[in-house]
Amino acid sequence: MTEAITSYRFSFGPWNLSEGADPFGPPVRDPFTFLEKVKIAKQLGFDALQFHDDDAVPELDSLGPEQISKQARATKQILTDHGLVAEFVAPRLWFSPRTIDGAYTANDPADRAYAVERSIKAIDIAQELGTPLLVLWLAREGTYVREAKSVPEAVQYLVDAINTMLEYDKQLRILVEPKPNEPMDQAYIPTVGHALALGNRTADPSRVGILIETAHQILAGLDPSDEMGFALSFHKLWSVHLNDQSGLKFDEDKSFGEVDLRRAFNQVRVLEENGYGRNGEYVGLDVKAMRTQKKEVSAKHLANSKQTFLWLLDKVRSLNRSLQAELVRQRDYEELTRYITAHLLGARY
Ligand code: XLS
Ligand code: MG
């Protein structure tokens, strides 16, 4: 066990305060302005915001370099004025007509070039916002039809794109956020293991790490806390997107711990037991408000997820470690699981 941090720092992205649109229906709430979102973050006790490049600089594709840095500086100023910082920037490579067939792995070389140029702009924005972290959620890197693409070629395109970014900014660190499906049928980098292996193929593996989202692990049929433990053992867990997910379906981004409290407990436990946060890592929440929430109460999912993390942290810290060790020594795992259930329920044991 590594010594735990005394207090965690929390973050979320502006997209986590949303208007409730889904593929079957339009928005149901008026939007918050960016400034209102910043105020909500501060009010709820968050420390940082996460950004898609165009959250920080809207209409990015139509702007020149000077306009981009001017807007990025204005965004940074709003953060500073409210005592917040930027955790990371992620290029939004899934919206443009030029990323319909993938971004770094599109079959058309002009589309691949667009993806790299856009990523370089995202790095410029990250520099203006004062963060060395770039997150790559490889949304459209995968296939709908096996015969349309070559996997080894696609992997090489990904390596080349990451190398270009690492070369462009020598301080940059890249976090790959694996997800097995959605929007793609099959993603090229579906799991933490794939992301680690990809990082190892790049010119500087020491600057490529992982962001783990709870729901993405569940969609891959894996246990989120085990995946976090795996990345931690390689010192590669540089950010997390805690949330929850009810089974194998679309990415639900439910509040942390809403579906499976014990699974959430084990994520907090593995982070706490392995010193997560001691190198400045944030506890990020990638959660979505239910479509039924009215605007005035549409930030509760963020407050609740943070609260649940802290409640579970108390449970982790108050575990009877000698009892746990003794039950492990006796190999009485039935008793161990009974103890954990009692502890989580606050039942007399
Ligand atoms: C989508 C991803 C997305 C990233 C940020 O499934 O979780 O929200 O975290 O680009
Ligand atoms: Mg995410």
Side-chain angles (χ1 to χ4, degrees), residues 254-267:
K254 281 174 167 289
S255 291
F256 183 53
E258 187 190 321
V259 179
D260 187 333
L261 262 188
R262 180 139 174 199
R263 189 167 62 191
F265 164 77
N266 276 306
Q267 291 168 72

Side-chain angles (χ1 to χ4, degrees), residues 305-333:
S305 295
K306 181 165 170 270
Q307 172 75 85
T308 299
F309 181 94
L310 293 171
W311 276 336
L312 289 172
L313 185 61
D314 279 346
K315 289 290 174 186
V316 171
R317 290 183 173 169
S318 58
L319 259 188
N320 182 340
R321 298 285 175 177
S322 48
L323 174 61
Q324 182 191 7
E326 178 55 22
L327 295 175
V328 169
R329 200 191 60 74
Q330 292 173 12
R331 217 178 63 199
D332 189 352
Y333 300 155

Side-chain angles (χ1 to χ4, degrees), residues 11-14 34 38 41 47-51 79 84-88:
S11 63
F12 68 86
F34 177 66
V38 166
D47 305 282
L49 280 184
Q50 312 173 335
F51 287 89
L79 292 178
L84 293 170
V85 295
E87 182 193 355
F88 66 68

